[in-house]
Amino acid sequence: MTGEPSSILVLGGARSGKSRFAEGLALDCVADRHYVATGRAFDDEMRDRIAKHRSDRGDGWTTHEEPIDLVGQLKRIDDPSRVVLVDCLTLWVTNLMLENHDVAARSAELATALPQLTARVILVSNEVGLGIVPENRMAREFRDHAGRLHQQIAARAAEVYFVAAGLPLKMKG
């Protein structure tokens, strides 16, 4: 890895190819690769998804499961020789909401921490604001939290990509 460390935000819809694209960005780095998984396996379907993600990713990654303390985990593994892929921010927001955390404060904490990290950090998230207005309050709050988080991270990221149908569109950088 050369140059100053910087963060990259990769957005896209479900099954858009965003995780695969982000993993490709990480593989392009000559670095020690770390994967921070924010998802929780609450049921068999989610356990299967997590297992498939691990299998598809293959060897060469150190995996950290961290559903809540994302900033703390990033600080613990921060090192200029590393690339860290976080997948995904929307699952992190879900976890924060389910445990009644102050999502706005935690989002601001993450946005503030990113420029201080020495590792290259690639963050994956679902763009959920392109569809219809959700019918219930919690879903609307989730959409709003995710949208504000994406704006904060995008403002600080060196690069931002939007992935649809497996095709990345570079939006910044």
Side-chain angles (χ1 to χ4, degrees), residues 17-169:
K18 64 189 172 297
S19 292
R20 180 173 298 148
F21 175 73
E23 289 166 13
L25 291 174
L27 291 173
D28 287 344
C29 297
V30 179
D32 181 21
R33 289 185 293 279
H34 288 251
Y35 187 95
V36 178
T38 62
R40 289 178 164 166
F42 288 118
D43 57 31
D44 289 340
E45 187 267 341
M46 191 62 172
R47 274 187 280 284
D48 291 345
R49 282 180 180 259
I50 290 170
K52 180 162 178 20
H53 256 276
R54 252 190 205 163
S55 174
D56 289 350
R57 202 166 47 248
D59 297 332
W61 294 85
T62 301
T63 300
H64 310 270
E65 295 181 6
E66 183 49 66
I68 298 294
D69 187 19
L70 180 55
V71 172
Q73 183 64 52
L74 289 171
K75 288 179 178 179
R76 284 189 292 277
I77 62 175
D78 188 34
D79 186 285
S81 69
R82 292 181 175 160
V83 60
V84 179
L85 195 158
V86 176
D87 200 351
C88 82
L89 292 180
T90 42
L91 286 174
W92 179 63
V93 167
T94 298
N95 296 333
L96 293 174
M97 289 180 72
L98 289 174
E99 293 193 14
N100 297 313
H101 288 265
D102 183 338
V103 179
R106 299 300 289 271
S107 296
E109 179 187 22
L110 176 61
T112 299
L114 283 175
Q116 299 169 13
L117 298 172
T118 61
R120 170 150 321 224
V121 180
I122 303 168
L123 303 118
V124 175
S125 199
N126 291 289
E127 178 52 69
V128 295
L130 298 175
I132 61 171
V133 175
E135 70 175 13
N136 67 73
R137 180 180 177 163
M138 184 176 186
R140 287 188 300 272
E141 287 176 358
F142 169 77
R143 178 208 51 198
D144 293 348
H145 283 308
R148 285 189 291 268
L149 173 62
H150 293 160
Q151 290 180 57
Q152 289 177 313
I153 300 305
R156 288 167 174 83
E159 298 176 28
V160 178
Y161 294 89
F162 183 80
V163 181
L167 302 171
L169 171 65

